[in-house]
Amino acid sequence: MPGQIIYGAGVFAEVGNIAIGLGKKALIISDPIMEQIGVVAECQRYLEAVSLVFATFTGVPSEPTDAYVNEALELCRKEQCDLIITVGGGSCIDTAKAVAVMMTNTGYIGDYRGANPFKQAPLPLIAIPTTAGTGSEVTKVTVIIDTVNDVKMMISQPELLPRVAIVDPLLTLSCPPHVTAATGLDALCHAVEAYLSRKAHPLTDTLALGAITRIMSHLPTAYEQGADLIAREQMAIGSMMAGAAFSNASVTLVHGMSRPIGALFHVPHGISNAMLLAAVLEFTRPAAERKLAEIGRMIWPHLTGDSDERLADAFISEIKRLCKQLNIPNLRGWGIDEQRFTKLLPKMAADAILSGSPGNNQRVPTEQELTQLYQLCFDYKL
């Protein structure tokens, strides 16, 4: 977990007071939308109020790539910043994590996949999410696209944890419905996968179940009534709990399959997860019916006495209903070209296995089963 987590409506205003104790010059990392709606300027005002100097990088317009990391790194070095502050969605936070560690370590960010640890501690990082989705503000994970090989590189090391997470649900009020749906379903996948992971343990189970109940109860309201602060608050907490759960228990098959889709077809991460979730749960069910039923008992306490089979059915059906309510398409419906998709199936299956996440699933697929599952998801009907 991060060294400090500050949560609550309005706590964004504390960023200056926190930052002044961590560095002498900050690099703010954000995106063009946050700049356009005034969130970046608000952050700058809070730093100016405590006389902390800063530089600003808003060049993260899409999912994080090694190119964005290199551009931000170049600015950070030029400006001699010793503190990173990131305000935005998961793409901004993941980019900032990579910058924080690469300011003090040598080589290329992709060199640190697998068992190659960072040698030096990172610059201090303050993470301020503006979506309730990735939970990146509380995780030891960054996912960066290798633009040469079209691969999403997942790097998981303790040095990637932010020093401080500032979680202000007011910042999520600006999320439009489609972003609310995508990020909320990403958080739901984090929680469900953490609960079903082979690396799960009692503490991560508690966080995962708490996240699942909050997200499934409040995501529809946040999607349909974006100004509902109670729904936004519960989603912010749920996303944070889900992030902490998967950071410690890992994700599984959904994320393993999702990353190649995002890298090759540029589908937003939360949407690609949601497209796969129900089908992957059906595939996993023979090895995880009891755990799926336990989720059902948490969501519907009045059905506690029902059989595992019925409750697992009910939970998977509810996932399908939720995705349909949030207008999640299948892969064909998103507009992915079937011929190119079929041609790239071997690469997708191989890249998914190489990511390591499918190995955490209760039912571990073969490469052939992965290929079949991708084919099923292309025209999957909710």
Side-chain angles (χ1 to χ4, degrees):
M1 298 285 284
Q4 185 178 12
I5 298 174
I6 300 170
Y7 171 82
V11 296
F12 184 26
E14 297 298 315
V15 62
N17 294 327
I18 294 164
I20 198 68
L22 295 177
K24 295 180 179 178
K25 186 173 185 179
L27 176 65
I28 300 171
I29 295 179
S30 192
D31 63 53
I33 293 176
M34 291 299 108
E35 185 173 36
Q36 180 181 345
I37 66 176
V39 174
V40 172
E42 186 178 358
C43 184
Q44 292 170 337
R45 288 195 298 271
Y46 292 141
L47 300 186
E48 289 168 349
V50 296
S51 301
L52 182 67
V53 292
F54 56 84
T56 305
F57 177 81
T58 55
V60 190
S62 62
E63 292 201 359
T65 68
D66 48 12
Y68 301 157
V69 172
N70 290 336
E71 289 173 21
L73 261 174
E74 183 178 352
L75 179 62
C76 196
R77 289 169 178 152
K78 177 183 175 183
E79 296 290 337
Q80 298 182 320
C81 298
D82 60 357
L83 166 66
I84 309 293
I85 299 170
T86 179
V87 55
S91 296
C92 293
I93 297 176
D94 278 8
T95 300
K97 287 177 173 181
V99 172
V101 293
M102 295 312 298
M103 278 292 292
T104 58
N105 290 273
T106 59
Y108 169 61
I109 184 64
D111 297 340
Y112 295 93
R113 285 179 287 179
N116 186 21
F118 295 108
K119 302 294 191 298
Q120 304 295 329
L123 294 186
L125 170 63
I126 299 173
I128 308 165
T130 58
T131 64
T134 68
S136 188
E137 71 275 7
V138 294
T139 75
K140 62 177 182 179
V141 175
T142 188
V143 178
I144 305 294
I145 296 174
D146 173 350
T147 52
V148 173
N149 298 301
D150 284 330
V151 172
K152 281 192 171 185
M153 305 179 291
M154 188 190 77
I155 303 159
S156 177
Q157 296 194 37
E159 288 79 9
L160 292 166
L161 278 166
R163 182 77 62 89
V164 182
I166 298 177
V167 183
D168 186 339
L170 293 179
L171 291 174
T172 68
L173 291 172
S174 62
C175 281
H178 71 280
V179 175
T180 298
T183 56
L185 288 167
D186 186 23
L188 181 61
C189 286
H190 291 157
V192 172
E193 289 180 87
Y195 192 67
L196 298 180
S197 173
R198 291 170 177 261
K199 296 181 179 179
H201 56 77
L203 180 57
T204 61
D205 283 352
T206 299
L207 290 166
L209 287 172
I212 292 167
T213 54
R214 281 176 166 84
I215 293 166
M216 294 191 72
S217 296
H218 296 282
L219 178 53
T221 303
Y223 175 71
E224 294 171 355
Q225 303 171 39
D228 189 308
L229 186 55
I230 291 176
R232 294 294 192 179
E233 288 174 339
Q234 291 301 311
M235 285 301 300
I237 296 171
S239 172
M240 185 166 51
M241 292 174 72
F246 95 78
S247 185
N248 287 277
S250 188
V251 286
T252 59
L253 183 53
V254 174
H255 272 71
M257 292 180 64
S258 173
R259 292 188 199 104
I261 293 173
L264 295 167
F265 300 100
H266 309 294
V267 179
H269 178 63
I271 297 295
S272 60
N273 283 340
M275 290 172 172
L276 302 170
L277 180 57
V280 169
L281 290 180
E282 289 175 339
F283 171 84
T284 306
R285 178 181 174 157
E289 185 173 83
R290 180 183 60 82
K291 297 211 78 171
L292 290 169
E294 288 169 355
I295 297 174
R297 291 188 178 96
M298 178 66 71
I299 298 172
W300 303 292
H302 62 288
L303 299 180
T304 299
D306 281 17
S307 67
D308 286 356
E309 180 182 9
R310 182 178 174 187
L311 281 163
D313 275 342
F315 177 63
I316 294 173
S317 294
E318 184 65 11
I319 290 292
K320 293 180 181 180
R321 188 200 64 77
L322 179 61
C323 288
K324 192 171 184 178
Q325 181 180 358
L326 301 182
N327 294 306
I328 301 300
N330 56 28
L331 296 166
R332 184 187 295 278
W334 181 262
I336 291 175
D337 179 74
E338 186 173 11
Q339 186 175 356
R340 183 166 181 258
F341 181 82
T342 302
K343 180 180 178 181
L344 288 171
L345 279 172
K347 176 175 171 56
M348 288 192 291
D351 287 351
I353 290 174
L354 187 62
S355 76
S357 299
N360 301 322
N361 208 49
Q362 291 290 331
R363 181 184 176 190
V364 179
T366 64
E367 194 162 336
Q368 182 181 1
E369 287 173 326
L370 263 176
T371 300
Q372 293 169 345
L373 198 48
Y374 273 125
Q375 291 170 319
L376 172 67
C377 289
F378 191 81
D379 278 313
Y380 189 80
K381 290 181 173 56
L382 294 172

